[in-house]
Amino acid sequence: METKGCIYSRNDVCEMLGISTFTLTNWYKWERKELSEQIVDDEYLPHPIQLEHVKGRPLRWSYEMVTSLMEYKEHIVKGRNGRFGKYTNTKWH
Protein backbone atom coordinates (compact mmCIF):
# COMPACT_ATOMS: atom_id res chain seq x y z
CA MET A 1 0.00 0.00 0.00
CA GLU A 2 1.08 3.52 -0.70
CA THR A 3 1.84 5.39 2.52
CA LYS A 4 3.27 8.53 0.92
CA GLY A 5 1.13 11.49 1.87
CA CYS A 6 -0.66 9.64 4.69
CA ILE A 7 0.62 11.82 7.48
CA TYR A 8 -2.41 12.58 9.64
CA SER A 9 -3.04 10.56 12.80
CA ARG A 10 -6.47 9.84 14.26
CA ASN A 11 -6.15 12.78 16.65
CA ASP A 12 -5.05 15.11 13.83
CA VAL A 13 -8.02 14.06 11.69
CA CYS A 14 -10.48 14.53 14.55
CA GLU A 15 -9.05 17.96 15.34
CA MET A 16 -9.38 19.01 11.69
CA LEU A 17 -12.99 17.75 11.56
CA GLY A 18 -13.97 19.11 14.98
CA ILE A 19 -15.15 15.70 16.22
CA SER A 20 -14.06 13.23 18.86
CA THR A 21 -12.20 9.99 18.20
CA PHE A 22 -15.34 8.22 19.45
CA THR A 23 -17.36 9.82 16.64
CA LEU A 24 -14.79 8.85 14.00
CA THR A 25 -14.81 5.27 15.27
CA ASN A 26 -18.62 5.24 15.16
CA TRP A 27 -18.65 6.39 11.53
CA TYR A 28 -16.53 3.39 10.54
CA LYS A 29 -18.68 1.05 12.68
CA TRP A 30 -21.83 2.35 10.97
CA GLU A 31 -20.29 1.72 7.58
CA ARG A 32 -19.31 -1.86 8.50
CA LYS A 33 -22.79 -2.50 9.91
CA GLU A 34 -24.51 -1.17 6.77
CA LEU A 35 -22.23 -3.28 4.58
CA SER A 36 -22.81 -6.44 6.62
CA GLU A 37 -26.59 -5.92 6.58
CA GLN A 38 -26.38 -5.16 2.83
CA ILE A 39 -28.01 -1.76 3.27
CA VAL A 40 -25.30 -0.31 1.03
CA ASP A 41 -23.20 -2.04 -1.60
CA ASP A 42 -20.02 0.03 -1.60
CA GLU A 43 -17.76 1.48 1.06
CA TYR A 44 -18.32 5.21 1.35
CA LEU A 45 -15.64 6.21 3.85
CA PRO A 46 -11.94 6.38 2.98
CA HIS A 47 -9.94 3.69 4.70
CA PRO A 48 -6.75 4.80 6.44
CA ILE A 49 -3.40 3.18 5.87
CA GLN A 50 -2.14 1.05 8.73
CA LEU A 51 1.59 1.39 9.35
CA GLU A 52 2.62 -2.26 9.69
CA HIS A 53 6.23 -1.75 10.78
CA VAL A 54 5.56 0.79 13.51
CA LYS A 55 4.82 -0.18 17.10
CA GLY A 56 1.08 -0.25 17.69
CA ARG A 57 0.37 -0.24 13.92
CA PRO A 58 -1.15 3.26 13.92
CA LEU A 59 -3.58 4.46 11.26
CA ARG A 60 -2.74 7.36 8.95
CA TRP A 61 -4.94 9.43 6.65
CA SER A 62 -3.96 11.54 3.64
CA TYR A 63 -5.30 15.04 3.01
CA GLU A 64 -7.62 13.66 0.31
CA MET A 65 -9.05 11.18 2.82
CA VAL A 66 -9.61 13.97 5.35
CA THR A 67 -11.35 16.05 2.67
CA SER A 68 -13.63 13.11 1.92
CA LEU A 69 -14.46 12.79 5.63
CA MET A 70 -15.24 16.52 5.75
CA GLU A 71 -17.74 16.08 2.91
CA TYR A 72 -19.25 13.08 4.71
CA LYS A 73 -19.62 15.12 7.90
CA GLU A 74 -21.48 17.87 6.03
CA HIS A 75 -24.08 15.37 4.76
CA ILE A 76 -24.93 13.78 8.10
CA VAL A 77 -28.38 14.79 9.28
CA LYS A 78 -28.17 15.86 12.89
CA GLY A 79 -30.68 15.13 15.60
CA ARG A 80 -32.26 11.99 16.99
CA ASN A 81 -33.92 11.12 13.70
CA GLY A 82 -30.82 11.67 11.59
CA ARG A 83 -29.41 9.15 9.20
CA PHE A 84 -27.85 7.11 11.99
CA GLY A 85 -30.46 7.82 14.66
CA LYS A 86 -31.55 4.19 14.69
CA TYR A 87 -28.06 3.26 15.95
CA THR A 88 -27.39 6.11 18.35
CA ASN A 89 -30.89 6.60 19.76
CA THR A 90 -32.34 3.12 19.82
CA LYS A 91 -34.95 4.00 22.47
CA TRP A 92 -36.63 6.34 19.96
CA HIS A 93 -36.87 3.76 17.15
Side-chain angles (χ1 to χ4, degrees):
M1 293 202 161
E2 182 68 31
T3 60
K4 186 177 180 181
C6 294
I7 58 171
Y8 299 106
S9 69
R10 179 185 312 266
N11 288 336
D12 294 338
V13 170
C14 290
E15 186 176 316
M16 292 167 76
L17 294 172
I19 61 172
S20 68
T21 57
F22 179 75
T23 299
L24 185 63
T25 302
N26 274 341
W27 288 357
Y28 283 101
K29 283 182 183 178
W30 294 337
E31 180 189 50
R32 283 193 305 272
K33 185 173 177 81
E34 287 185 341
L35 288 169
S36 69
E37 293 178 356
Q38 299 177 344
I39 296 171
V40 296
D41 296 328
D42 296 326
E43 297 175 340
Y44 50 84
L45 293 175
H47 289 277
I49 304 300
Q50 192 168 35
L51 303 179
E52 297 291 333
H53 303 293
V54 178
K55 184 178 180 180
R57 296 170 41 192
L59 300 174
R60 293 290 185 257
W61 285 260
S62 67
Y63 184 75
E64 291 79 22
M65 292 177 186
V66 174
T67 304
S68 178
L69 288 170
M70 284 179 186
E71 291 172 9
Y72 175 74
K73 179 185 174 190
E74 294 301 317
H75 290 94
I76 291 180
V77 179
K78 296 176 177 52
R80 73 171 190 216
N81 294 321
R83 180 174 178 187
F84 300 108
K86 62 185 173 185
Y87 302 122
T88 57
N89 296 309
T90 54
K91 68 179 181 180
W92 297 102
H93 294 275

